[in-house]
Amino acid sequence: MEPATRLDHNHQLTLKDFPYIIRWRDDRCKRCGRCTAVCPMFSIEPSVILRRTIHSEGPTPQPKAVRQVVTVIKQSTDINRYCTGCGTCTLVCPNEAIEPEYNPQHKFLFHKNRGGYPYRRGGRRNDPRLSTLDRLKFTRISMLTDPALDAGRHEFRIRTYLGRILPAEELPLRFVNGRLEVDKTSGKFIPPVREIYPVMIGSMSIGALSPTMWEGLAMGVTYLNEVEGMPVVMCSGEGGMPQRLLKSRFIKYFIPQIASGYFGWDEIVRTIPHMVEDPCAIEIKYGQGAKPGDGGLLMAHKVLRLIAEIRGVPMGVDLPSPPTHQTKYSIEESVAKMIQSMSMAWGFRVPVYPKISGTRTARAVLNNLVRNPYAAALSIDGEDGGTGAAYNVSMDKMGHPIASNIRECYLDLVKQGKQNEIPLIAAGGVGKTGNLAANAAALFMLGASAVAIGKYIMQAAAGCFGDEYNRCNICNIGRCPRGIATQDPKLYRRLDPDKVAERVVEVFKAVDVELKKIFAPMGRSTELPIGMSDGISADDPAIAERLQISYAC
Amino acid sequence: MCRLVAITSKDYISPMENILALETMKEGHDGSGMGIILKNLGGEFEEMKDYPILSGICSKDGLHRLDEYMERVGFQLRHTWTPRIKPVKGIQRRDHYFARVYEYPEEYKDRAFEEKEDLLLRTRIALRRMGEDDESIIVFSFYPDIITIKEVGDPLQLSEFFGLDDSNLKAKIIFAQGRQNTNYAINLYACHPFFIQGYGSMTNGENTAFVPIREFLMSRGFPGYIGYNSDSEVFTHILHYTCKILGYPLVYYKDIITPLKTSEIDGRPDSEVVRLLKVTLRPLCIDGPNCVIGFTPDGTCFMVQDSKKLRPGVVGGVKGKYGLMSEECGLDSAIPQRDRSLDIFPMKYDMVIVRPEAEEVVVWNQLRG
């Protein structure tokens, strides 16, 4: 046996250790070089090999060995240049000569920690199994006893409310001449409430997203409101918004987010006197489902001029947000103060709500907010939520699934009789397998007043490659091959904001139809079926028991 | 589909009028039960309007326990009405059917009516709980000037069973429902009309928003919001919540159970209030298909349709006697002398209100307020 010391390349990895292996076809490749030029990871490169072939010419066989220097496409075995499986090479190849293939036997996580740095990435939890949401079905179908509605002809009101809702007993009403009227002399504060579409676009920052992506989303949302009459709203994510948008009348369709780094808020606060409309709401980010307990991070190479301007920071520096708000001493005091401060900034005309990551302590947070009359909602972001950058261990192993989290919060509100007073917004993996309307409707029936989507809209509107097999998921390094999560003009110019906007509109119009197709057979059309838990069943008895719904098999 | 017959009159009428009207509407299998509520009683009850009447059914043992309980609380039995039961094939006779008039306990006699109402409610719930497991005590209502009768079977046969055709039971407002069971096991507590503290209603349809409404009502902290063996019981409790707990005028019941679109609210003179109610009482939107017929303590009767208008409903009659029914043939039976061209078929924005003593009919339009 040969001694190990003489075995060449023993400390190198083999291609079988990698999650994606490039299948390259020599016979189809014309050596144009496009694939190697676009590979965001430099995983493939042109290489030369010496090839020995046997040739025979002439009428009788006269085999001859010929040695040729041939150009080939070679996949790197450097772990830092691993193939992400994004498939951009396939996209640009004119001859279908190359494609990455998933390798289920890979040992990627064993090795992706060189230099003592754990694996960091973007995307969401790498778990391709069906989520709980996809295991729920709508089983209460209106049949002969209560005829189903016609999704195409009946009038459906698919709307929800964002804002603190006073209980009827506390409304300042008085009886005058046979009618009720609002008693203006009572001095009672009636919190602002917005009527919105129950599927929101969740918080994704300008910075995490490219200018073209964010602009496309913003245009799509505006079009939906102004032309289609669908009050879809979108959260800014941390890091502010362009002045042009803040000062425009379209700001009413947006929810500026304030997070622990307060990036962009100097600019927003200075703009308040010049704003012609109030924003839809303000979201205070305390947590994110993809990386609970972690602060945000915008890597230095994404902090270019535009981002630096919006965020009010120098160019080219890392922008880490702390894991928690530095002023946060207790939920009773500091969170209440923060909600009040933000409310006060807009004269108590704008709903202000916190967003937390899914957690077993969500009910404790909720119960504190219930006692805070200015808390306008609670957004809970489940473990399947996406992010632009996080440690893999946070994304894969930290957090709480949204289904049971939202359900127990809702049932807690029911116990207190406050289920209509503080809306719950569910996020994290909504539409993870493409079933956006079904996941959203299931969450409404579990008790959510609205759902927020992020990853889904990136995938549907801009073709984000990322999936739960760790495909692509390099949002963190600024080399997004689709031009969605990058600040590199060479990359984001690939993305046409008009096309993104068109897709946003198409997606929401399609979701609207699908929601009707779900609600119509269940006989619901006038109000969103929030908490209609008799409408759904789980295909697993344990899930059914946990969610307090029926089991159907 | 359930058959509904409500008749409101300035004169006392017999429940047979309702039952015959129900009979004209009969189609196919329709024998899973009948419920009758009589309000503003005549006959032997005319002189006892201030005393609470307990309506229900008991087994022999149940009656004994009921008596013991009532005695312990301090209620004194003043008068008992029991139907003269005639055996009818297919109707299973229970031991005791009754409407018992009580005197309030001594310490309650001079108290405010609200306190008396509270006592009556608590007593009814306690009795219901005592007999719920073995059906030894079934109580439908315990309130002054109200009698409730319910049993499983075909309405016409039940009228014979209870001897209603030669009974002197009379009232000015009578609600009756012939039940088409859609709620699985037949349970008498699931039989319409439902009653709570002066408010009653019966419904034709199925309530697809039942669970969120039930959860909302049960979490109001009001002890009477229990039961819900039928998804339609919530309509009565929403009526009670709207008018009694919140103190709103009756018309806002329509705004609560079938809220207008936001764009439609702008046309209302009280748009600010309607907008607030739509948001605040969102879980009480019924989302039909339903036709609700109800009454309030002052004797006002009304009919509303849900916004999808998938259930029939008609109101017609003459001054002094109006019927609110699910089908016109029922009106023809009960009030043939009316002008049929004046019959009102309420549409999705309408609330048809018949004033006490059947004085007049008003159609309140939700869009105009």
Side-chain angles (χ1 to χ4, degrees):
Chain A
M1 192 176 167
E2 209 169 8
T5 49
R6 289 187 55 195
L7 183 63
D8 291 344
H9 317 304
N10 191 41
H11 292 283
Q12 288 184 9
L13 300 177
T14 69
L15 278 181
K16 285 288 275 186
D17 294 320
F18 284 80
Y20 287 90
I21 298 172
I22 292 292
R23 300 295 172 207
W24 172 71
R25 291 181 62 177
D26 188 4
D27 58 329
R28 282 181 165 270
C29 179
K30 66 172 191 175
R31 274 72 176 173
C32 65
R34 290 186 195 178
C35 55
T36 53
V38 296
C39 178
M41 298 298 286
F42 308 110
S43 309
I44 48 174
E45 58 191 7
S47 183
V48 287
I49 56 168
L50 189 64
R51 184 182 287 164
R52 179 176 175 273
T53 51
I54 305 297
H55 283 262
S56 175
E57 290 173 7
T60 55
Q62 291 175 323
K64 238 182 355 186
V66 178
R67 287 173 179 269
Q68 286 178 308
V69 175
V70 185
T71 313
V72 295
I73 301 295
K74 188 179 170 196
Q75 181 174 359
S76 169
T77 54
D78 176 357
I79 190 71
N80 293 321
R81 290 168 56 195
Y82 71 99
C83 172
T84 67
C86 69
T88 315
C89 50
T90 313
L91 201 64
V92 297
C93 179
N95 286 345
E96 297 172 16
I98 191 166
E99 65 173 343
E101 187 176 282
Y102 183 65
N103 168 28
Q105 294 165 285
H106 71 84
K107 295 200 183 73
F108 182 64
L109 291 181
F110 291 77
H111 304 294
K112 187 66 179 118
N113 49 18
R114 295 295 154 99
Y117 298 110
Y119 175 38
R120 285 168 292 176
R121 62 180 178 89
R124 64 175 158 216
R125 194 166 67 97
N126 281 328
D127 183 353
R129 287 175 302 177
L130 281 185
S131 68
T132 302
L133 295 178
D134 276 321
R135 304 189 67 175
L136 305 180
K137 285 197 183 340
F138 306 97
T139 46
R140 190 204 180 283
I141 309 300
S142 296
M143 276 290 128
L144 300 177
T145 56
D146 57 327
L149 303 171
D150 184 332
R153 295 197 186 118
H154 264 97
E155 181 183 80
F156 286 78
R157 300 182 208 167
I158 302 177
R159 297 288 185 270
T160 194
Y161 300 119
L162 177 60
R164 188 55 173 259
I165 298 168
L166 284 183
E169 288 81 357
E170 289 179 25
L171 287 177
L173 303 182
R174 64 182 177 192
F175 187 55
V176 179
N177 297 331
R179 288 202 182 98
L180 291 171
E181 67 172 34
V182 177
D183 183 3
K184 308 277 187 195
T185 62
S186 70
K188 175 84 184 171
F189 169 61
I190 301 178
V193 176
R194 309 282 196 241
E195 188 177 75
I196 62 168
Y197 195 74
V199 180
M200 310 159 62
I201 296 183
S203 39
M204 293 180 287
S205 71
I206 306 182
L209 296 184
S210 65
T212 42
M213 181 64 191
W214 212 90
E215 191 183 352
L217 292 178
M219 283 195 297
V221 163
T222 307
Y223 185 92
L224 283 164
N225 279 274
E226 301 265 315
V227 181
E228 297 292 339
M230 289 173 71
V232 176
V233 296
M234 168 174 161
C235 182
S236 72
E238 180 177 24
M241 298 167 81
Q243 291 276 320
R244 199 160 52 99
L245 180 55
L246 286 168
K247 292 178 187 169
S248 79
R249 67 185 176 87
F250 305 118
I251 189 66
K252 61 187 171 189
Y253 309 136
F254 294 86
I255 300 173
Q257 186 193 69
I258 182 164
S260 54
Y262 306 126
F263 292 121
W265 274 81
D266 279 350
E267 277 61 29
I268 292 179
V269 169
R270 280 195 208 105
T271 314
I272 291 176
H274 309 288
M275 288 171 78
V276 293
E277 287 273 359
D278 290 330
C280 168
I282 304 294
E283 180 175 281
I284 306 174
K285 176 187 164 185
Y286 289 102
Q288 187 173 348
K291 45 177 176 181
D294 247 356
L297 173 61
L298 193 66
M299 308 288 274
H301 44 73
K302 278 187 161 181
V303 187
L304 303 183
R305 195 167 67 90
L306 173 73
I307 303 306
E309 274 177 20
I310 293 175
R311 297 199 172 197
V313 294
M315 295 198 315
V317 294
D318 278 345
L319 298 181
S321 301
T324 181
H325 291 249
Q326 297 303 295
T327 53
K328 191 167 74 183
Y329 170 68
S330 71
I331 186 166
E332 291 83 0
E333 189 205 340
S334 308
V335 177
K337 276 183 184 164
M338 192 152 178
I339 291 172
Q340 264 172 294
S341 305
M342 300 309 297
S343 300
M344 203 180 297
W346 274 276
F348 293 90
R349 299 185 309 272
V350 177
V352 180
Y353 67 89
K355 171 186 157 184
I356 60 168
S357 57
T359 163
R360 288 181 63 184
T361 62
R363 282 162 62 201
V365 175
L366 178 65
N367 283 317
N368 274 285
L369 295 177
V370 161
R371 283 155 187 79
N372 175 352
Y374 300 101
L378 175 62
S379 176
I380 304 177
D381 190 14
E383 63 165 354
D384 281 326
T387 177
Y391 283 91
N392 181 67
V393 69
S394 300
M395 296 174 75
D396 277 2
K397 299 297 174 194
M398 301 290 295
H400 197 297
I402 189 61
S404 61
N405 224 188
I406 212 79
R407 184 71 178 143
E408 64 192 6
C409 284
Y410 177 76
L411 290 175
D412 225 35
L413 289 176
V414 168
K415 257 188 224 160
Q416 301 172 60
K418 294 181 183 296
Q419 60 269 50
N420 191 48
E421 293 175 31
I422 185 156
L424 298 171
I425 303 166
V430 186
K432 185 177 171 183
T433 49
N435 301 309
L436 175 57
N439 289 177
L443 281 163
F444 301 148
M445 290 177 201
L446 292 175
S449 282
V451 300
I453 54 168
K455 183 76 172 170
Y456 177 90
I457 201 71
M458 291 204 293
Q459 291 171 311
C464 165
F465 291 133
D467 70 11
E468 286 68 57
Y469 290 92
N470 205 26
R471 183 180 174 196
C472 200
N473 286 349
I474 50 167
C475 332
N476 57 323
I477 59 171
R479 287 189 228 148
C480 172
R482 281 293 205 197
I484 299 167
T486 176
Q487 298 302 323
D488 182 346
K490 287 199 295 292
L491 294 174
Y492 71 64
R493 273 202 295 264
R494 293 176 181 174
L495 195 64
D496 181 346
D498 287 331
K499 286 204 162 55
V500 173
E502 269 179 46
R503 284 293 297 143
V504 168
V505 173
E506 286 173 353
V507 164
F508 274 90
K509 287 178 74 175
V511 161
D512 198 53
V513 173
E514 284 198 329
L515 285 174
K516 288 176 189 172
K517 293 299 286 182
I518 293 169
F519 297 155
M522 303 180 83
R524 296 300 304 267
S525 63
T526 312
E527 286 289 349
L528 206 62
I530 299 168
M532 186 186 165
S533 53
D534 59 329
I536 46 175
S537 302
D539 67 0
D540 179 283
I543 292 176
E545 187 184 349
R546 180 76 176 87
L547 299 180
Q548 298 185 33
I549 58 175
S550 63
Y551 161 59
C553 58
Chain B
M1 194 174 72
C2 299
R3 297 170 284 157
L4 309 177
V5 170
I7 300 174
T8 169
S9 164
K10 69 177 170 50
D11 302 314
Y12 292 112
I13 56 168
S14 160
M16 280 312 292
E17 290 196 30
N18 296 61
I19 289 163
L20 291 172
L22 282 178
E23 181 61 17
T24 61
M25 300 181 199
K26 182 175 177 177
E27 274 179 343
H29 157 73
D30 207 0
S32 46
M34 177 183 70
I36 302 177
I37 288 185
L38 300 98
K39 176 177 163 60
N40 296 357
L41 302 169
E44 63 195 76
F45 294 96
E46 195 172 355
E47 303 303 317
M48 292 181 274
K49 287 194 180 295
D50 291 335
Y51 299 102
I53 304 170
L54 181 68
S55 305
I57 305 170
C58 281
S59 67
K60 285 193 181 82
D61 172 56
L63 190 64
H64 182 64
R65 291 195 293 135
L66 182 142
D67 280 339
E68 271 182 1
Y69 182 83
M70 295 302 274
E71 201 175 319
R72 202 160 61 239
V73 177
F75 282 105
Q76 283 176 10
L77 187 62
R78 186 184 166 99
H79 178 75
T80 301
W81 173 85
T82 50
R84 273 173 294 180
I85 301 292
K86 295 177 195 163
V88 173
K89 195 181 168 193
I91 297 177
Q92 198 178 345
R93 182 187 170 148
R94 301 176 209 239
D95 294 344
H96 297 282
Y97 298 87
F98 58 83
R100 303 174 126 212
V101 184
Y102 285 91
E103 284 188 32
Y104 287 105
E106 204 57 46
E107 66 270 29
Y108 273 83
K109 279 186 176 158
D110 298 324
R111 293 205 195 177
F113 186 61
E114 278 69 28
E115 288 182 64
K116 289 179 180 167
E117 272 187 308
D118 179 54
L119 172 71
L120 297 178
L121 181 78
R122 281 188 284 112
T123 307
R124 178 174 63 79
I125 293 170
L127 291 171
R128 176 180 170 142
R129 293 214 166 110
M130 278 165 58
E132 204 149 26
D133 292 340
D134 57 359
E135 293 194 341
S136 58
I137 302 173
I138 302 172
V139 283
F140 303 120
S141 59
F142 188 27
Y143 204 76
D145 216 11
I146 291 283
I147 288 179
T148 309
I149 301 168
K150 293 181 183 180
E151 187 48 284
V152 178
D154 174 80
L156 197 61
Q157 288 181 333
L158 281 171
S159 70
E160 196 184 336
F161 175 73
F162 284 123
L164 294 179
D165 43 351
D166 57 1
S167 150
N168 65 347
L169 207 55
K170 291 189 183 339
K172 289 186 175 178
I173 296 173
I174 303 179
F175 275 47
Q177 186 233 22
R179 187 148 183 269
Q180 176 74 48
N181 184 46
T182 52
N183 290 311
Y184 326 111
I186 293 175
N187 180 320
L188 280 186
Y189 281 125
C191 187
H192 311 215
F194 300 102
F195 176 83
I196 186 166
Q197 292 193 329
Y199 296 86
S201 79
M202 54 190 181
T203 312
N204 191 349
E206 184 136 343
N207 180 8
T208 50
F210 170 57
V211 167
I213 296 176
R214 180 185 64 186
E215 284 176 346
F216 186 82
L217 288 168
M218 290 180 80
S219 58
R220 293 309 90 198
F222 182 76
Y225 295 161
I226 56 162
Y228 306 118
N229 301 83
S230 162
D231 58 5
S232 296
E233 193 164 8
V234 297
F235 298 114
T236 317
H237 292 182
I238 297 172
L239 178 65
H240 175 269
Y241 181 64
T242 304
C243 297
K244 187 161 177 73
I245 304 283
L246 298 176
Y248 298 165
L250 175 64
V251 291
Y252 290 97
Y253 180 63
K254 174 76 177 152
D255 280 320
I256 290 168
I257 61 171
T258 63
L260 291 172
K261 272 190 288 188
T262 306
S263 56
E264 293 169 332
I265 291 176
D266 297 337
R268 284 280 293 269
D270 49 357
S271 58
E272 207 177 352
V273 171
V274 178
R275 202 168 287 118
L276 282 175
L277 294 186
K278 177 180 162 75
V279 174
T280 286
L281 296 171
R282 164 169 62 164
L284 296 181
C285 168
I286 62 173
D287 230 351
N290 293 107
C291 170
V292 184
I293 301 174
F295 64 81
T296 58
D298 68 354
T300 300
C301 296
F302 68 89
M303 176 187 285
V304 282
Q305 290 280 4
D306 79 302
S307 56
K308 281 160 290 235
K309 185 69 174 71
L310 290 171
R311 284 291 191 263
V314 57
V315 179
V318 294
K319 188 173 179 184
K321 188 175 186 183
Y322 284 96
L324 304 88
M325 308 199 184
S326 48
E327 289 177 53
E328 203 170 16
C329 56
L331 270 183
D332 291 343
S333 156
I335 314 171
Q337 71 276 28
R338 79 194 191 287
D339 179 353
R340 290 185 62 173
S341 66
L342 299 178
D343 286 352
I344 302 163
F345 296 86
M347 300 306 285
K348 69 173 185 177
Y349 295 118
D350 298 332
M351 181 179 223
V352 183
I353 299 168
V354 185
R355 302 279 183 221
E357 299 281 316
E359 188 61 31
E360 61 166 346
V361 180
V362 179
V363 180
W364 181 83
N365 184 280
Q366 192 183 9
L367 276 179
R368 293 194 293 271

